[in-house]
Amino acid sequence: MSIGETACTYAALILHDDGISITAEKIATLVKSANVTVESYWPSLFAKLCEKKNIEDLILNVCAGGGGAAVAVSAPAGGAASGGALAAAAPAVEEKKEEPKEESDEDMGFSLFD
């Protein structure tokens, strides 16, 4: 990831966290105030991404990526997101199963060298 991408990412996260609408101008202003020089196209690309994608979904699914196939999760058709949609998107937690301990030779009363 380049410095420009990283700076725009942080700027978009800052704007989202403060509840401010994410625009190319605001991203560019934040990046400039941090004394970071970026290519002129980065702020507009990140602003377009933030218009089309829900930032909270991106944050929640940051570890869901990888080599496997992508899973698409969409909001209900009514337009109102419910807590059930977020719960359905969360991966199931596996329960840890304890493996049975193998008996060692010491437990049986003899060893290899007796």
Side-chain angles (χ1 to χ4, degrees), residues 18 20 23 25 66 80 84-85 88 95 101 103 110:
D18 288 342
I20 301 170
T23 63
E25 293 81 23
E95 293 181 23
K101 293 184 178 182
E103 293 184 19
F110 65 91

Side-chain angles (χ1 to χ4, degrees), residues 1-26:
M1 188 178 250
S2 72
I3 294 173
E5 288 176 274
T6 305
C8 290
T9 299
Y10 285 133
L13 288 173
I14 289 168
L15 291 170
H16 173 72
D17 189 49
D18 288 342
I20 301 170
S21 62
I22 301 171
T23 63
E25 293 81 23
K26 291 178 183 175

Side-chain angles (χ1 to χ4, degrees), residues 19-84:
I20 301 170
S21 62
I22 301 171
T23 63
E25 293 81 23
K26 291 178 183 175
I27 291 173
T29 303
L30 273 174
V31 170
K32 185 177 179 181
S33 67
N35 294 326
V36 178
T37 305
V38 298
E39 298 291 331
S40 61
Y41 58 86
W42 283 120
S44 61
L45 284 175
F46 275 84
K48 287 179 185 178
L49 169 75
C50 294
E51 286 176 6
K52 295 179 182 181
K53 298 286 185 178
N54 185 357
I55 302 297
E56 289 184 25
D57 287 342
L58 292 174
I59 293 169
L60 292 174
N61 294 325
V62 76
C63 293
V71 178
V73 179
S74 61
S82 65

Side-chain angles (χ1 to χ4, degrees), residues 67-104:
V71 178
V73 179
S74 61
S82 65
L86 291 176
V93 178
E94 289 186 31
E95 293 181 23
K96 293 184 178 181
K97 297 180 182 178
E98 291 186 30
E99 296 181 17
K101 293 184 178 182
E102 295 182 18
E103 293 184 19
S104 65

